Amino acid sequence: MSDALDAAGPQAAWIARLWWISLWLCVAVFIGVMAALAWALWRARRAAATGDPGGNAPPGKDRALRVLVGSATLLSSVLLVGLLEVSVLTDRGLARLPRGDALSIRVTAHQWWWEMVYEDDRADHVFATANELVIPVGRPVVVTLEADDVIHSFWVPNLHGKKDLIPGRSTTIEFRADRAGRFVGRCAEFCGLQHAFMAYDVVALPPDRYAQWADHERAAAPEPRAADAVRGRELFLTGSCMLCHAVQGTSAQGRRGPDLTHFASRSHIGAGSIANSPQALARWIEDPQKLKPGANMPSHFLPADDLAALVAYLETLT
Ligand code: CUA
């Protein structure tokens, strides 16, 4: 799990700086206010003990108090204006990311998963993946955000702040990862029953490894060789799977659910619901409603050998 304040790019660094300045300033103000309160209480108790209501303070002391309150008010105003200035500078910093040579990705939020389409001028270079955003280190990324059903929010704390995805409206968010790593992405806007299981990984790879990964993603799914995997593909293409899922290189071109062309290489099933393993996959195919109640994928109680064949096929989709 990555620390949300451990910035991996310039956008997140700006936001983290604003957070730390605000935090320490507010801590200092809080301590000052509490100290003043303690002092006032102590004075009130002393006044009660000596029977002096404090109403007849000598004129010199009265003036000193007025100067003290005046200075505190002035200091508060200066600090507030200072915080405003730091926020404005942060906003400017966020808008200054150079976007030459940017990688363009379209992210569509669905209840409850993420569709990532890597755009390219060449139609045969476009590819889709799900619940995993792989990006090259050092290159700006422009993500176009869209929503299919309700409002969701795109949030990768290590790279940038939050941005809503609104049905019928396209927005963009830009960021850059300056070091390799795996970062946590979350939906940050309540979007229904499975809002908590609408997670994705952002994997930042060195440019050459990213290029390898993208080449692999563009390629069609490998041909299954083992007999059970071949039978599994048959089941996939003749059953209901292909109505919702696509596997490039086959007749399955469904768009309602995640593209499964390279499904076996992903870390999780069901947008962060469970770690990806053959056993978990079998449980998921059988009864997704048990693992992720409300998800759009229906349960499929298949004969054991059919289920095993289907799992064997999906495991070949590396
Ligand atoms: Cu999507 Cu919360």
Side-chain angles (χ1 to χ4, degrees):
M1 184 72 78
S2 44
D3 174 357
L5 287 170
D6 182 13
Q11 314 293 93
W14 274 105
I15 295 171
R17 219 171 293 143
L18 176 63
W19 151 259
W20 284 118
I21 292 172
S22 306
L23 177 75
W24 290 122
L25 210 62
C26 292
V27 164
V29 169
F30 180 76
I31 290 172
V33 169
M34 286 301 123
L37 180 67
W39 183 55
L41 287 174
W42 173 76
R43 272 180 38 131
R45 280 186 64 177
R46 197 187 53 171
T50 56
D52 170 16
N56 304 318
K61 206 172 174 192
D62 208 30
R63 198 167 51 240
L65 272 179
R66 227 175 284 151
V67 168
L68 192 64
V69 171
S71 322
T73 310
L74 188 68
L75 181 65
S76 301
S77 314
V78 169
L79 290 181
L80 276 176
V81 172
L83 274 184
L84 182 71
E85 179 66 22
V86 181
S87 328
V88 170
L89 286 177
T90 302
D91 217 36
R92 273 199 209 154
L94 289 178
R96 263 206 312 258
L97 184 77
R99 282 175 225 166
D101 185 35
L103 177 67
S104 170
I105 305 172
R106 198 173 70 244
V107 170
T108 308
H110 302 264
Q111 278 177 318
W112 293 275
W113 62 281
W114 302 87
E115 179 185 4
M116 282 79 177
V117 176
Y118 286 68
E119 298 178 316
D120 202 290
D121 294 337
R122 284 182 55 181
D124 61 332
H125 271 207
V126 176
F127 61 89
T129 174
N131 304 326
E132 206 155 77
L133 192 68
V134 179
I135 57 170
V137 169
R139 187 171 159 197
V141 181
V142 176
V143 179
T144 305
L145 301 171
E146 284 165 6
D148 185 35
D149 31 45
V150 299
I151 299 178
H152 303 266
S153 179
F154 180 94
W155 190 31
V156 190
N158 299 99
L159 294 173
H160 206 315
K162 299 171 186 174
K163 189 119 183 194
D164 280 3
L165 303 97
I166 300 165
R169 233 182 97 176
S170 230
T171 47
T172 57
I173 187 167
E174 298 88 22
F175 50 80
R176 190 180 73 211
D178 286 339
R179 62 179 161 86
R182 184 177 279 269
F183 310 111
V184 174
R186 280 273 180 275
C187 177
E189 176 84 36
F190 181 71
C191 56
L193 202 55
Q194 291 297 336
H195 159 69
F197 286 110
M198 194 165 163
Y200 52 101
D201 284 331
V202 178
V203 184
L205 296 175
D208 50 335
R209 283 196 50 213
Y210 169 79
Q212 273 172 19
W213 174 85
D215 279 344
H216 182 75
E217 290 292 308
R218 278 182 207 113
E223 280 291 305
R225 291 179 192 283
D228 57 344
V230 172
R231 203 171 79 79
R233 182 171 67 172
E234 216 32 52
L235 289 167
F236 189 93
L237 297 178
T238 53
S240 56
C241 308
M242 54 97 77
L243 297 176
C244 295
H245 294 286
V247 175
Q248 303 310 330
T250 74
S251 57
Q253 295 295 325
R255 309 287 315 165
R256 284 181 55 80
D259 183 302
L260 299 179
T261 310
H262 298 287
F263 160 79
S265 64
R266 294 178 201 151
S267 66
H268 284 81
I269 303 173
S273 298
I274 34 170
N276 192 357
S277 73
Q279 296 75 18
L281 177 59
R283 284 173 58 210
W284 175 264
I285 295 172
E286 249 196 331
D287 198 0
Q289 297 303 317
K290 192 171 169 189
L291 294 163
K292 192 168 179 173
N296 282 323
M297 181 163 161
S299 302
H300 299 84
F301 295 103
L302 301 165
D305 56 336
D306 282 3
L307 181 61
L310 213 43
V311 171
Y313 170 55
L314 291 169
E315 290 301 320
T316 68
L317 302 178
T318 49

